[in-house]
Amino acid sequence: MIGYPNKKKQATKTVSYAKLGMTLESDIDQTNKYYLEQGIAVIHKKPTPVQVVTVNYPARNKAKITEAYYKIPSTTDYNGIYEGRYIDFDAKETALATSMPLKNIHPHQVDHLKAVHEQGGIAFLIVHFKRIQTYYLLPATVLFRYWDTRNEKTGRKSIPLSVFENEAFELNFSYQPRLDYLKVVKAHLMSD
Amino acid sequence: MIGYPNKKKQATKTVSYAKLGMTLESDIDQTNKYYLEQGIAVIHKKPTPVQVVTVNYPARNKAKITEAYYKIPSTTDYNGIYEGRYIDFDAKETALATSMPLKNIHPHQVDHLKAVHEQGGIAFLIVHFKRIQTYYLLPATVLFRYWDTRNEKTGRKSIPLSVFENEAFELNFSYQPRLDYLKVVKAHLMSD
């Protein structure tokens, strides 16, 4: 069970509309909504897993959860289908200017991406470098290489920005869709 | 927001182990776990969506949800990948002996299955007729035919058992995996 410091603000209905388009999650949600409405792809964010402890029933057919905790997700946040291919990814943000720390990723998320890759699915990360306002699609195979060697003597605890520049694909931010990651998938990952 | 009458029992940690293997959800979870461990497929149940209203922070990094409600899912409960193909389904139980009521299915779940089918995914329902202890895999195309005509003069509000007998595929219940639905998918749905 883990804490999400900003969850209260996000979950209540008092979120200002000005905030839309200002978080990676909402940008990806908006992109997926566009894909769905245009018949391009069916990709959804999975609900945040919650461990429910107590439920009250103040009225018939009305369940009120009064004690629950966030759980660590056992898979990635996003999956779906695009032109017959299974798509699976997670979204990560980093405040660092020159690398993405591998501790941003849960070990079971990497296990999941590996299992997906072995089944022939298209697996990747969308990574937002906040400091330089740059978005990359990082193929999971590049992640695996850094992940599997992270505890070796010559290994690194992060993936350098230069690796993103050379082996990932930059995503341009635009109005509609916000982050057209399937354009990159089609151009570079569909022949996997 | 909807109520799940049995959710309290399911969600707390007081569930007896004797209950395992006695619900459709746990039988499918066990089957998916088997598929994952054997490297056969990567298929997971999505978390139940919860609308979080209030979160307290009794301690640092410890978020306690104190007010939340169950939401109606916008997709089906299960999806994943099997031999490169996208798999998407929902599980339904009926206490009726001779038909499955269409009201057991949310309209947006049908919309989702249609969108998946159009993208080339393999879409279906697993239906448990509790009275006769029989399990069927119903191809989504059969569901669509009944769904799309349900409000017509000659339409029906349910899918008769005879249709399951003729157009669905019976799943045998066994020890491991409990409900080998991918065997049916491979034999009958992979050439779609």
Side-chain angles (χ1 to χ4, degrees), chain A residues 46 49 71-76 108-109 112, chain B residues 44-45:
Chain A
K46 294 183 187 178
K71 287 196 294 184
I72 295 176
S74 54
T75 66
T76 47
H108 43 261
Q109 290 187 319
H112 174 72
Chain B
H44 288 275
K45 184 179 184 295

PDB file of all heavy atoms in Angstrom, chain A residues 46 49 71-76 108-109 112, chain B residues 44-45:
ATOM      1  N   LYS A  46      -6.056   1.746 -16.944  1.00  0.00           N
ATOM      2  CA  LYS A  46      -6.711   0.899 -15.958  1.00  0.00           C
ATOM      3  C   LYS A  46      -7.028   1.724 -14.713  1.00  0.00           C
ATOM      4  O   LYS A  46      -6.290   2.650 -14.376  1.00  0.00           O
ATOM      5  CB  LYS A  46      -5.785  -0.257 -15.570  1.00  0.00           C
ATOM      6  CG  LYS A  46      -5.523  -1.229 -16.698  1.00  0.00           C
ATOM      7  CD  LYS A  46      -4.662  -2.379 -16.227  1.00  0.00           C
ATOM      8  CE  LYS A  46      -4.269  -3.255 -17.403  1.00  0.00           C
ATOM      9  NZ  LYS A  46      -3.385  -4.370 -16.977  1.00  0.00           N
ATOM     10  N   PRO A  49      -5.721   0.642  -8.573  1.00  0.00           N
ATOM     11  CA  PRO A  49      -6.176  -0.414  -7.667  1.00  0.00           C
ATOM     12  C   PRO A  49      -6.299   0.059  -6.228  1.00  0.00           C
ATOM     13  O   PRO A  49      -5.409   0.730  -5.704  1.00  0.00           O
ATOM     14  CB  PRO A  49      -5.109  -1.498  -7.803  1.00  0.00           C
ATOM     15  CG  PRO A  49      -3.913  -0.831  -8.366  1.00  0.00           C
ATOM     16  CD  PRO A  49      -4.385   0.369  -9.129  1.00  0.00           C
ATOM     17  N   LYS A  71      -3.209   0.516  -3.639  1.00  0.00           N
ATOM     18  CA  LYS A  71      -2.309  -0.631  -3.767  1.00  0.00           C
ATOM     19  C   LYS A  71      -1.315  -0.352  -4.891  1.00  0.00           C
ATOM     20  O   LYS A  71      -1.592   0.424  -5.806  1.00  0.00           O
ATOM     21  CB  LYS A  71      -3.103  -1.895  -4.145  1.00  0.00           C
ATOM     22  CG  LYS A  71      -3.925  -2.457  -3.014  1.00  0.00           C
ATOM     23  CD  LYS A  71      -4.369  -3.884  -3.312  1.00  0.00           C
ATOM     24  CE  LYS A  71      -5.331  -3.971  -4.480  1.00  0.00           C
ATOM     25  NZ  LYS A  71      -5.819  -5.353  -4.690  1.00  0.00           N
ATOM     26  N   ILE A  72      -0.158  -1.017  -4.830  1.00  0.00           N
ATOM     27  CA  ILE A  72       0.802  -0.918  -5.918  1.00  0.00           C
ATOM     28  C   ILE A  72       0.246  -1.696  -7.104  1.00  0.00           C
ATOM     29  O   ILE A  72      -0.134  -2.858  -6.955  1.00  0.00           O
ATOM     30  CB  ILE A  72       2.179  -1.473  -5.498  1.00  0.00           C
ATOM     31  CG1 ILE A  72       2.769  -0.584  -4.390  1.00  0.00           C
ATOM     32  CG2 ILE A  72       3.123  -1.544  -6.684  1.00  0.00           C
ATOM     33  CD1 ILE A  72       4.086  -1.099  -3.843  1.00  0.00           C
ATOM     34  N   PRO A  73       0.159  -1.084  -8.292  1.00  0.00           N
ATOM     35  CA  PRO A  73      -0.387  -1.796  -9.456  1.00  0.00           C
ATOM     36  C   PRO A  73       0.497  -2.992  -9.819  1.00  0.00           C
ATOM     37  O   PRO A  73       1.714  -2.940  -9.695  1.00  0.00           O
ATOM     38  CB  PRO A  73      -0.339  -0.740 -10.567  1.00  0.00           C
ATOM     39  CG  PRO A  73      -0.161   0.573  -9.882  1.00  0.00           C
ATOM     40  CD  PRO A  73       0.572   0.278  -8.608  1.00  0.00           C
ATOM     41  N   SER A  74      -0.125  -4.094 -10.257  1.00  0.00           N
ATOM     42  CA  SER A  74       0.650  -5.279 -10.627  1.00  0.00           C
ATOM     43  C   SER A  74       1.002  -5.296 -12.106  1.00  0.00           C
ATOM     44  O   SER A  74       1.753  -6.147 -12.551  1.00  0.00           O
ATOM     45  CB  SER A  74      -0.122  -6.544 -10.258  1.00  0.00           C
ATOM     46  OG  SER A  74      -1.401  -6.513 -10.830  1.00  0.00           O
ATOM     47  N   THR A  75       0.452  -4.353 -12.848  1.00  0.00           N
ATOM     48  CA  THR A  75       0.782  -4.268 -14.275  1.00  0.00           C
ATOM     49  C   THR A  75       1.077  -2.800 -14.599  1.00  0.00           C
ATOM     50  O   THR A  75       1.277  -1.991 -13.699  1.00  0.00           O
ATOM     51  CB  THR A  75      -0.382  -4.754 -15.153  1.00  0.00           C
ATOM     52  OG1 THR A  75      -1.489  -3.858 -14.994  1.00  0.00           O
ATOM     53  CG2 THR A  75      -0.820  -6.158 -14.780  1.00  0.00           C
ATOM     54  N   THR A  76       1.093  -2.490 -15.880  1.00  0.00           N
ATOM     55  CA  THR A  76       1.224  -1.097 -16.307  1.00  0.00           C
ATOM     56  C   THR A  76      -0.146  -0.426 -16.283  1.00  0.00           C
ATOM     57  O   THR A  76      -1.162  -1.078 -16.098  1.00  0.00           O
ATOM     58  CB  THR A  76       1.777  -1.064 -17.731  1.00  0.00           C
ATOM     59  OG1 THR A  76       1.033  -1.997 -18.510  1.00  0.00           O
ATOM     60  CG2 THR A  76       3.244  -1.443 -17.760  1.00  0.00           C
ATOM     61  N   HIS A 108       7.735  -5.255 -10.843  1.00  0.00           N
ATOM     62  CA  HIS A 108       6.702  -6.090 -11.481  1.00  0.00           C
ATOM     63  C   HIS A 108       6.148  -5.446 -12.749  1.00  0.00           C
ATOM     64  O   HIS A 108       5.557  -6.113 -13.584  1.00  0.00           O
ATOM     65  CB  HIS A 108       5.582  -6.423 -10.490  1.00  0.00           C
ATOM     66  CG  HIS A 108       5.168  -5.256  -9.680  1.00  0.00           C
ATOM     67  ND1 HIS A 108       5.619  -5.054  -8.396  1.00  0.00           N
ATOM     68  CD2 HIS A 108       4.394  -4.205  -9.980  1.00  0.00           C
ATOM     69  CE1 HIS A 108       5.102  -3.926  -7.940  1.00  0.00           C
ATOM     70  NE2 HIS A 108       4.368  -3.395  -8.882  1.00  0.00           N
ATOM     71  N   GLN A 109       6.338  -4.129 -12.882  1.00  0.00           N
ATOM     72  CA  GLN A 109       5.941  -3.500 -14.143  1.00  0.00           C
ATOM     73  C   GLN A 109       6.897  -3.932 -15.257  1.00  0.00           C
ATOM     74  O   GLN A 109       6.476  -4.158 -16.393  1.00  0.00           O
ATOM     75  CB  GLN A 109       5.938  -1.972 -14.009  1.00  0.00           C
ATOM     76  CG  GLN A 109       4.808  -1.474 -13.107  1.00  0.00           C
ATOM     77  CD  GLN A 109       4.688   0.038 -13.103  1.00  0.00           C
ATOM     78  OE1 GLN A 109       5.685   0.763 -13.070  1.00  0.00           O
ATOM     79  NE2 GLN A 109       3.463   0.530 -13.147  1.00  0.00           N
ATOM     80  N   HIS A 112       6.049  -7.422 -16.166  1.00  0.00           N
ATOM     81  CA  HIS A 112       4.855  -7.420 -17.008  1.00  0.00           C
ATOM     82  C   HIS A 112       5.198  -7.043 -18.450  1.00  0.00           C
ATOM     83  O   HIS A 112       4.761  -7.711 -19.396  1.00  0.00           O
ATOM     84  CB  HIS A 112       3.820  -6.445 -16.419  1.00  0.00           C
ATOM     85  CG  HIS A 112       2.615  -6.262 -17.284  1.00  0.00           C
ATOM     86  ND1 HIS A 112       1.660  -7.249 -17.442  1.00  0.00           N
ATOM     87  CD2 HIS A 112       2.227  -5.237 -18.077  1.00  0.00           C
ATOM     88  CE1 HIS A 112       0.725  -6.815 -18.279  1.00  0.00           C
ATOM     89  NE2 HIS A 112       1.046  -5.607 -18.677  1.00  0.00           N
TER      90      HIS A 112
ATOM     91  N   HIS B  44      -5.063 -10.086 -17.499  1.00  0.00           N
ATOM     92  CA  HIS B  44      -5.336  -9.662 -16.131  1.00  0.00           C
ATOM     93  C   HIS B  44      -6.749  -9.116 -15.996  1.00  0.00           C
ATOM     94  O   HIS B  44      -7.318  -8.607 -16.950  1.00  0.00           O
ATOM     95  CB  HIS B  44      -4.358  -8.548 -15.713  1.00  0.00           C
ATOM     96  CG  HIS B  44      -2.960  -9.022 -15.498  1.00  0.00           C
ATOM     97  ND1 HIS B  44      -2.526  -9.548 -14.310  1.00  0.00           N
ATOM     98  CD2 HIS B  44      -1.882  -9.051 -16.330  1.00  0.00           C
ATOM     99  CE1 HIS B  44      -1.247  -9.877 -14.400  1.00  0.00           C
ATOM    100  NE2 HIS B  44      -0.827  -9.587 -15.621  1.00  0.00           N
ATOM    101  N   LYS B  45      -7.260  -9.187 -14.773  1.00  0.00           N
ATOM    102  CA  LYS B  45      -8.506  -8.496 -14.452  1.00  0.00           C
ATOM    103  C   LYS B  45      -8.153  -7.052 -14.123  1.00  0.00           C
ATOM    104  O   LYS B  45      -7.199  -6.787 -13.390  1.00  0.00           O
ATOM    105  CB  LYS B  45      -9.175  -9.137 -13.247  1.00  0.00           C
ATOM    106  CG  LYS B  45     -10.522  -8.501 -12.930  1.00  0.00           C
ATOM    107  CD  LYS B  45     -11.209  -9.151 -11.739  1.00  0.00           C
ATOM    108  CE  LYS B  45     -12.578  -8.538 -11.552  1.00  0.00           C
ATOM    109  NZ  LYS B  45     -12.537  -7.091 -11.192  1.00  0.00           N
TER     110      LYS B  45
END
